[in-house]
Every structure is written in structure tokens, then in C-alpha cells.
Amino acid sequence: LRHGGSVHSSILIDMIEYEFSGQGILQARGPLSHQRFKGKTESFDMGTSPYGGQDLLQALSRDFAPGTYDLLRKNCNTFSDCALMFLVGQRMDARHRALEKVGQRLDRYTPIIGTLFKDYKRNPRADGFKTIAVIERAEQAKQGQNLA
């Protein structure tokens, strides 16, 4: 969901919002996390899923634990990407994941990132995070635990 030049995303299941932040995966009634951003909020119907919110939490809570958020490498859009793949078998549109892609590529150039994003502090607890590995684990959980 685009807010001005930046993108914040969350997942809405049966009017319960799931978003990832520094506190881990948070839940709220309705898309409350978007109220803190200026600009028009867009929402997209990604389809229906046999999985619910508790299934989502069970599958992704380990990988999106409190204290592991990193603005450039593991953020709300990373979570939404993994959640969408788990729930409906689709990745988030690549243009909404651009910040993470750039952040991962520039990660080794910390001084450059510090110049571009003045308040950015690299979170070592996000080191080694790989979106594809999370997606693969979530798919295995669906098959192994018969979540459907």
C-alpha cells in the first residue's frame, strides 16, 4: 500500500490486520497501521485462502520475531511478501519490494546507506535473513502440519 513515495504493507484477514514492526507481528482490527502515513492508501484483494490468521502466525512468527525488524533488509513489505505466498501462493509485486532489494545489495556499504537514510541503524538480528528460505519453510509447514 503506497503512502506518498514510500510503501507500507500489511495483511488483512477477516478484518484483522497483521503487520510486522520492531515489536514483531502485530494484530489490529482493521488496517490501523496505515493511519500513521500521509497520502492515499491503496488496498488489493489478493483472493481467498484456506488458511487463517492463526495459521499465518504459526507459520511466520519464528522468522518475524520481536526485535528483528530492519528498515532496509527485513521490514513490513518483506513480511507481507512471505504472508501472501503462504496464504495465496503469490508474491508481492516486485515494485513494492524495491527498498528491500536495494537495501540487501547495498548492505555491505554501510556509510552509503547511512547517508541516504539518516536514522537507519543496521539490525544485526536481521543478518542472514532470506525471504526465499522463509517461504520454503512456510510451504513445508503447510504440507507437514496439514494447515489446510
Side-chain angles (χ1 to χ4, degrees), residues 50-108:
Y51 306 103
Q54 290 306 310
D55 298 323
L56 178 68
L57 292 173
Q58 183 179 349
L60 297 182
S61 288
R62 182 181 119 206
D63 291 296
F64 292 94
T68 64
Y69 181 93
D70 185 288
L71 176 66
L72 298 179
R73 301 179 298 141
K74 184 180 179 187
N75 58 35
C76 61
N77 300 320
T78 314
F79 167 74
S80 293
D81 185 34
C82 292
L84 283 172
M85 189 64 188
F86 173 78
L87 292 165
V88 295
Q90 295 180 58
R91 302 285 305 268
M92 189 172 172
D93 190 313
R95 65 192 160 123
H96 299 308
R97 296 182 283 126
L99 184 61
E100 299 81 64
K101 290 179 179 184
V102 170
Q104 289 169 357
R105 288 188 187 113
L106 293 178
D107 188 39
R108 61 185 164 234

Side-chain angles (χ1 to χ4, degrees), residues 43-48 90:
S43 62
F44 304 94
D45 184 343
M46 300 301 290
T48 59
Q90 295 180 58

